[in-house]
Amino acid sequence: MRLIDSSKTDTLPKLLERNSTTDPRGAGMREKTRGVWQTYSWRDYRDQVRDFALGLASLEFKRADKLSVVGDNRPQLYFAQLAAQALGGVSVPVYQDSIASELVYVLNHAETSIIVAEDQEQVDKALSLKDKLPKLRWIVFDDPRGLAFYEDPILRSFDSVLEEGRKLSQAHPGFYEAELAKGSADDTAMIAYTSGTTGNPKGVMLSHRNMIATAESFLEVNDVKRGDNWLSYLPMAWVGDAAFTLGMALVARLTANCPENPETVQRDLRELGPDAILAPPRIWENMLTIMQVKAGDASPLKRRVFEHFRALAERCELKKTGGEPLTLGERIGLAAGEFFIYGPVRDQLGLRRARWCYTGGAPLGPDTYRFFRSFGINLKQVYGATEASALIACQADAEANPNTVGRPIPSIEVKVDDRGEVLLRGPNVFKGYFKQEDVTRETVTPDGWLKTGDAGFFDKQGHLVIIDRAKDVGKLADGTAFAPQFIENKLKFSPFIREAVAFGHERPFVVAMIAIDMQTVGAWAEKRGLPYTSYMDLSRKPEVAELIGGEIAKANITLPDVQQVKRFLLLNKELEADDAEMTRTRKVRRKFVAEKYASVIDAFYGGKSSADVTMEITFEDGRKSTLSSTIAIHSEAAGEPVRQAA
Amino acid sequence: MSGISILGVANVSKKFGGVTAVQDMSLDVPRGGILSIIGPNGAGKTSLLNMISGFYKPDTGQIVLEGQDITQKKPSDIAALGIARTFQNIALFSGLTVLDNLMLGRHVRMKAGVLASIVYWGMAQKEDIAHREVVEEIIEFLKLQDLRKLPTAALAYGLRKRVELGRALALEPKVLLLDEPMGGMNQDEKEDMARYILDVNQERGVTVVLIEHDMGVVMDISDRVVVLDRGRRIAAGTPEEVQRDPAVIEAYLGTGKGGGRA
């Protein structure tokens, strides 16, 4: 019987109750504080959730009320979400790095009545919005640091709410259990706000059924064992974190581990050595860069050994994917490499125990992908969407492939309609957008198919391949199809290109705006003795333009003639979520960028060699300023011989 | 602030050869406040701090901590009594990690002998764990978690200043003497440091004596300001009072001239 069919296990807090009964001493959650990993057993975990839930009840938090959490991954913020759900409430996690004006929209739309904030920074933000949030009744803070002299009566400490809860539990024994029993599978568990590449964020309502059934489906085809360690370091407002730290961990009894703070993640990862991990491409790329920098700084002998085994691993990996057998010499070499290089590198990265690693959210460059695979890291692709409870498809160990996203997980049907859009049906399809029934009707067909908005197809072995957002696929002036993301991804595979935005819809040819990668281009410039001061200065160097031109020429070779990038420019600042150019999950907001840089795009096609840009930039604290500058436009003539980049 | 002083300096003088660094100086440091000492270069600020912390012995006068005369005590004894300090030029063990530097700050509070520490058993072990707890709390307080295991030599200047503050706090002082904690910092780093000093004072209840040149910071965070010039105290009072004092304006700006570093 599936968990969802039993009234004892059909909500997330009920699963917590089950875990605390069947495995009271097992580690439910851990957090690193003061340099030590501190454990909450399943029973401690349940007790905290119960006491906080009762505390919420004493603050008159009722069924269907909304509770928001804002902060880095902290056990208390997970407890608060489950506590709200135990009372039949809804959790609405929000992005901790959102600026105040973004928060106002989400918190108002969600009708949040209680905010649980991690620390002073988040409390300050919440207090500054208080007057604009008529439904807000309480702000509960976890870390009291710096808040001793705050006198606003709306503030409560997390501990004081727990204390209230303990009092209530003595006065009304059995109250929590009764509330818990009232919950059912189709109650809304959380509202996850999509980052919104167009317009305002939309509130995706996910039921307990969505969360639990999706976790069960995923677990059927993935190697997950009870007690496995999971690192909870991705933003809490992102549905993927909820799917694992709450859904998967409660269903399969994994231990969720919260890092000490965002700066220590890499070190905490190494200390913990999780049994499996999910990371977006930028984290994999970052790991690779760090490793290359470290290898470059090593002594010449060590560098040669590393280089030798790296090349060997890559050669063997290519042979393996091509189905060729390895020679005896290669096998012996790999075994030696495992001892000297591959094992220690995996250990340094904290991936020695990881049985599988997923990358998702955006494509990962094939070189990066091959590197990790060749070092014995089981890196695979996963595909999902907020509206599909985070998970749609994933790859089996034997079928890892950077070009596909794998097979749909069990009990989920996926099809591609005649326009090329990916549709799916199953228990992971969300309940609808909160207070936006019209948009829900546009997104889910009457017979239950969810339109993902992604354009894709199934390949010969039955794997799903995603090309682009369906609405972004346009046509060049001569009528040939133009998939901007497809082109951008090819460009972004270059280590020197951090972001790329391609244009070409109803235009004669394709152009691209490039944001260089400060770290790698900076290192490249230093090696050449090329002096520079800032990002802006670096992006203006003709040598850098030539470097990027070479990288684009390389990418062009892999593209059909008409899709090749003919002209490009280097942006003089990085694309920023604070400037609304990207979403908080770092997806380019194409339409917005096109409007912002309209003059540049005209200059591209007008054949000019430079464009004047005036733009507004937003600082982290929300202050704004304007920046005026002239950006040069470069040509990358198609068919030109590839200039060697480095 | 309460009128009771925690630290008293009475008629203290110090000469180096023919140069009088500090002359007949008296001041009271109220318990629980932030007292700033300002003045032009060579006014005797650092010399005064050096006498309070025991690095120099005054030629005349008396220094009293909580009723106890500390004038002739050794620096290590004064530290053990509860006065910690940071230095104008950072004084950390650059080859040691942040954690080890902070643990060293606990040294005067450690009781286990050499032999027991080598065996690392029983009391020595318990003591080490207790000290580590204090240090971890400071690491959290100053947000140094990601730097714990890095040698201090690898850190940026502003971070080293923060580590030095941490080491002083590891002593669990009653009085903290800070000698230009913001010297050489950019505006962001200064704002961070000012925040930490306020938190040290308000949340940990430590009395702070601060030497600082950035007048904006001094006027913002001090309860009381004492102004020195050529080894003498020329003014004292709240920041507002001091700013209006003609003697201060003269010492800083000269008479009838504009400019100056305030």
Side-chain angles (χ1 to χ4, degrees), chain A residues 113-131:
Chain A
S113 63
I114 297 184
I115 296 175
V116 180
E118 184 197 4
D119 56 12
Q120 186 184 18
E121 182 189 346
Q122 305 297 351
V123 167
D124 286 345
K125 212 158 33 176
L127 282 176
S128 76
L129 305 177
K130 181 176 78 154
D131 298 335

PDB file of all heavy atoms in Angstrom, chain A residues 113-131:
ATOM      1  N   SER A 113       0.254  35.203   7.612  1.00  0.00           N
ATOM      2  CA  SER A 113      -0.090  35.818   8.890  1.00  0.00           C
ATOM      3  C   SER A 113       1.062  35.736   9.887  1.00  0.00           C
ATOM      4  O   SER A 113       1.128  36.511  10.823  1.00  0.00           O
ATOM      5  CB  SER A 113      -1.350  35.194   9.481  1.00  0.00           C
ATOM      6  OG  SER A 113      -1.135  33.831   9.760  1.00  0.00           O
ATOM      7  N   ILE A 114       1.961  34.766   9.702  1.00  0.00           N
ATOM      8  CA  ILE A 114       3.122  34.671  10.588  1.00  0.00           C
ATOM      9  C   ILE A 114       4.370  34.488   9.735  1.00  0.00           C
ATOM     10  O   ILE A 114       4.394  33.659   8.831  1.00  0.00           O
ATOM     11  CB  ILE A 114       2.981  33.484  11.565  1.00  0.00           C
ATOM     12  CG1 ILE A 114       1.769  33.697  12.474  1.00  0.00           C
ATOM     13  CG2 ILE A 114       4.257  33.300  12.395  1.00  0.00           C
ATOM     14  CD1 ILE A 114       1.573  32.640  13.535  1.00  0.00           C
ATOM     15  N   ILE A 115       5.396  35.295  10.038  1.00  0.00           N
ATOM     16  CA  ILE A 115       6.690  35.107   9.384  1.00  0.00           C
ATOM     17  C   ILE A 115       7.649  34.547  10.411  1.00  0.00           C
ATOM     18  O   ILE A 115       7.741  35.065  11.525  1.00  0.00           O
ATOM     19  CB  ILE A 115       7.261  36.448   8.862  1.00  0.00           C
ATOM     20  CG1 ILE A 115       6.363  37.027   7.775  1.00  0.00           C
ATOM     21  CG2 ILE A 115       8.678  36.268   8.325  1.00  0.00           C
ATOM     22  CD1 ILE A 115       6.792  38.405   7.287  1.00  0.00           C
ATOM     23  N   VAL A 116       8.355  33.461  10.058  1.00  0.00           N
ATOM     24  CA  VAL A 116       9.418  32.975  10.923  1.00  0.00           C
ATOM     25  C   VAL A 116      10.727  33.363  10.243  1.00  0.00           C
ATOM     26  O   VAL A 116      11.020  32.897   9.140  1.00  0.00           O
ATOM     27  CB  VAL A 116       9.336  31.457  11.136  1.00  0.00           C
ATOM     28  CG1 VAL A 116      10.464  30.992  12.051  1.00  0.00           C
ATOM     29  CG2 VAL A 116       7.987  31.096  11.745  1.00  0.00           C
ATOM     30  N   ALA A 117      11.486  34.264  10.896  1.00  0.00           N
ATOM     31  CA  ALA A 117      12.690  34.826  10.297  1.00  0.00           C
ATOM     32  C   ALA A 117      13.916  34.271  11.000  1.00  0.00           C
ATOM     33  O   ALA A 117      13.894  34.053  12.212  1.00  0.00           O
ATOM     34  CB  ALA A 117      12.667  36.348  10.403  1.00  0.00           C
ATOM     35  N   GLU A 118      14.966  34.071  10.222  1.00  0.00           N
ATOM     36  CA  GLU A 118      16.153  33.441  10.791  1.00  0.00           C
ATOM     37  C   GLU A 118      16.879  34.343  11.792  1.00  0.00           C
ATOM     38  O   GLU A 118      17.275  33.893  12.852  1.00  0.00           O
ATOM     39  CB  GLU A 118      17.126  33.069   9.659  1.00  0.00           C
ATOM     40  CG  GLU A 118      18.357  32.330  10.131  1.00  0.00           C
ATOM     41  CD  GLU A 118      19.486  32.336   9.108  1.00  0.00           C
ATOM     42  OE1 GLU A 118      19.341  32.970   8.061  1.00  0.00           O
ATOM     43  OE2 GLU A 118      20.520  31.722   9.384  1.00  0.00           O
ATOM     44  N   ASP A 119      17.081  35.606  11.412  1.00  0.00           N
ATOM     45  CA  ASP A 119      17.957  36.449  12.226  1.00  0.00           C
ATOM     46  C   ASP A 119      17.597  37.920  12.077  1.00  0.00           C
ATOM     47  O   ASP A 119      16.616  38.270  11.430  1.00  0.00           O
ATOM     48  CB  ASP A 119      19.420  36.221  11.840  1.00  0.00           C
ATOM     49  CG  ASP A 119      19.648  36.459  10.347  1.00  0.00           C
ATOM     50  OD1 ASP A 119      18.738  37.000   9.689  1.00  0.00           O
ATOM     51  OD2 ASP A 119      20.726  36.109   9.855  1.00  0.00           O
ATOM     52  N   GLN A 120      18.449  38.754  12.654  1.00  0.00           N
ATOM     53  CA  GLN A 120      18.199  40.197  12.668  1.00  0.00           C
ATOM     54  C   GLN A 120      18.001  40.764  11.267  1.00  0.00           C
ATOM     55  O   GLN A 120      17.111  41.569  11.029  1.00  0.00           O
ATOM     56  CB  GLN A 120      19.375  40.898  13.352  1.00  0.00           C
ATOM     57  CG  GLN A 120      19.155  42.386  13.537  1.00  0.00           C
ATOM     58  CD  GLN A 120      20.382  43.070  14.132  1.00  0.00           C
ATOM     59  OE1 GLN A 120      21.480  42.532  14.116  1.00  0.00           O
ATOM     60  NE2 GLN A 120      20.186  44.247  14.673  1.00  0.00           N
ATOM     61  N   GLU A 121      18.837  40.313  10.312  1.00  0.00           N
ATOM     62  CA  GLU A 121      18.743  40.837   8.952  1.00  0.00           C
ATOM     63  C   GLU A 121      17.334  40.621   8.392  1.00  0.00           C
ATOM     64  O   GLU A 121      16.730  41.527   7.818  1.00  0.00           O
ATOM     65  CB  GLU A 121      19.784  40.122   8.075  1.00  0.00           C
ATOM     66  CG  GLU A 121      19.806  40.631   6.653  1.00  0.00           C
ATOM     67  CD  GLU A 121      20.683  39.782   5.741  1.00  0.00           C
ATOM     68  OE1 GLU A 121      21.473  38.965   6.258  1.00  0.00           O
ATOM     69  OE2 GLU A 121      20.560  39.920   4.515  1.00  0.00           O
ATOM     70  N   GLN A 122      16.830  39.398   8.559  1.00  0.00           N
ATOM     71  CA  GLN A 122      15.506  39.091   8.020  1.00  0.00           C
ATOM     72  C   GLN A 122      14.407  39.785   8.826  1.00  0.00           C
ATOM     73  O   GLN A 122      13.391  40.195   8.270  1.00  0.00           O
ATOM     74  CB  GLN A 122      15.277  37.576   7.988  1.00  0.00           C
ATOM     75  CG  GLN A 122      16.334  36.792   7.227  1.00  0.00           C
ATOM     76  CD  GLN A 122      16.400  37.152   5.747  1.00  0.00           C
ATOM     77  OE1 GLN A 122      15.545  37.870   5.224  1.00  0.00           O
ATOM     78  NE2 GLN A 122      17.424  36.672   5.069  1.00  0.00           N
ATOM     79  N   VAL A 123      14.615  39.905  10.145  1.00  0.00           N
ATOM     80  CA  VAL A 123      13.630  40.607  10.977  1.00  0.00           C
ATOM     81  C   VAL A 123      13.533  42.067  10.540  1.00  0.00           C
ATOM     82  O   VAL A 123      12.438  42.605  10.382  1.00  0.00           O
ATOM     83  CB  VAL A 123      14.005  40.509  12.477  1.00  0.00           C
ATOM     84  CG1 VAL A 123      13.186  41.503  13.304  1.00  0.00           C
ATOM     85  CG2 VAL A 123      13.791  39.096  12.985  1.00  0.00           C
ATOM     86  N   ASP A 124      14.688  42.706  10.305  1.00  0.00           N
ATOM     87  CA  ASP A 124      14.686  44.101   9.857  1.00  0.00           C
ATOM     88  C   ASP A 124      13.886  44.256   8.571  1.00  0.00           C
ATOM     89  O   ASP A 124      13.109  45.179   8.410  1.00  0.00           O
ATOM     90  CB  ASP A 124      16.121  44.593   9.621  1.00  0.00           C
ATOM     91  CG  ASP A 124      16.855  44.849  10.931  1.00  0.00           C
ATOM     92  OD1 ASP A 124      16.185  44.916  11.977  1.00  0.00           O
ATOM     93  OD2 ASP A 124      18.092  44.966  10.907  1.00  0.00           O
ATOM     94  N   LYS A 125      14.099  43.302   7.655  1.00  0.00           N
ATOM     95  CA  LYS A 125      13.404  43.354   6.378  1.00  0.00           C
ATOM     96  C   LYS A 125      11.891  43.215   6.610  1.00  0.00           C
ATOM     97  O   LYS A 125      11.110  43.989   6.074  1.00  0.00           O
ATOM     98  CB  LYS A 125      13.920  42.214   5.475  1.00  0.00           C
ATOM     99  CG  LYS A 125      13.918  42.554   4.039  1.00  0.00           C
ATOM    100  CD  LYS A 125      14.860  41.757   3.131  1.00  0.00           C
ATOM    101  CE  LYS A 125      15.143  40.338   3.452  1.00  0.00           C
ATOM    102  NZ  LYS A 125      15.975  39.659   2.478  1.00  0.00           N
ATOM    103  N   ALA A 126      11.522  42.246   7.432  1.00  0.00           N
ATOM    104  CA  ALA A 126      10.100  42.017   7.701  1.00  0.00           C
ATOM    105  C   ALA A 126       9.481  43.231   8.394  1.00  0.00           C
ATOM    106  O   ALA A 126       8.374  43.650   8.048  1.00  0.00           O
ATOM    107  CB  ALA A 126       9.917  40.759   8.536  1.00  0.00           C
ATOM    108  N   LEU A 127      10.206  43.811   9.361  1.00  0.00           N
ATOM    109  CA  LEU A 127       9.655  44.972  10.077  1.00  0.00           C
ATOM    110  C   LEU A 127       9.452  46.151   9.139  1.00  0.00           C
ATOM    111  O   LEU A 127       8.482  46.884   9.253  1.00  0.00           O
ATOM    112  CB  LEU A 127      10.590  45.378  11.224  1.00  0.00           C
ATOM    113  CG  LEU A 127      10.514  44.520  12.490  1.00  0.00           C
ATOM    114  CD1 LEU A 127      11.561  44.969  13.492  1.00  0.00           C
ATOM    115  CD2 LEU A 127       9.129  44.570  13.112  1.00  0.00           C
ATOM    116  N   SER A 128      10.376  46.298   8.167  1.00  0.00           N
ATOM    117  CA  SER A 128      10.257  47.435   7.246  1.00  0.00           C
ATOM    118  C   SER A 128       9.028  47.295   6.347  1.00  0.00           C
ATOM    119  O   SER A 128       8.578  48.261   5.755  1.00  0.00           O
ATOM    120  CB  SER A 128      11.522  47.555   6.393  1.00  0.00           C
ATOM    121  OG  SER A 128      11.527  46.578   5.380  1.00  0.00           O
ATOM    122  N   LEU A 129       8.493  46.073   6.254  1.00  0.00           N
ATOM    123  CA  LEU A 129       7.348  45.839   5.369  1.00  0.00           C
ATOM    124  C   LEU A 129       6.030  45.782   6.123  1.00  0.00           C
ATOM    125  O   LEU A 129       4.966  45.716   5.521  1.00  0.00           O
ATOM    126  CB  LEU A 129       7.527  44.488   4.645  1.00  0.00           C
ATOM    127  CG  LEU A 129       8.806  44.310   3.873  1.00  0.00           C
ATOM    128  CD1 LEU A 129       8.855  42.913   3.294  1.00  0.00           C
ATOM    129  CD2 LEU A 129       8.854  45.338   2.756  1.00  0.00           C
ATOM    130  N   LYS A 130       6.133  45.767   7.443  1.00  0.00           N
ATOM    131  CA  LYS A 130       4.982  45.509   8.300  1.00  0.00           C
ATOM    132  C   LYS A 130       3.740  46.315   7.903  1.00  0.00           C
ATOM    133  O   LYS A 130       2.637  45.779   7.828  1.00  0.00           O
ATOM    134  CB  LYS A 130       5.438  45.845   9.721  1.00  0.00           C
ATOM    135  CG  LYS A 130       4.464  45.656  10.796  1.00  0.00           C
ATOM    136  CD  LYS A 130       5.124  45.933  12.136  1.00  0.00           C
ATOM    137  CE  LYS A 130       5.232  47.428  12.361  1.00  0.00           C
ATOM    138  NZ  LYS A 130       5.259  47.757  13.804  1.00  0.00           N
ATOM    139  N   ASP A 131       3.936  47.603   7.598  1.00  0.00           N
ATOM    140  CA  ASP A 131       2.783  48.449   7.301  1.00  0.00           C
ATOM    141  C   ASP A 131       2.125  48.096   5.974  1.00  0.00           C
ATOM    142  O   ASP A 131       0.984  48.453   5.729  1.00  0.00           O
ATOM    143  CB  ASP A 131       3.207  49.924   7.277  1.00  0.00           C
ATOM    144  CG  ASP A 131       3.746  50.359   8.629  1.00  0.00           C
ATOM    145  OD1 ASP A 131       3.345  49.724   9.633  1.00  0.00           O
ATOM    146  OD2 ASP A 131       4.574  51.282   8.669  1.00  0.00           O
TER     147      ASP A 131
END
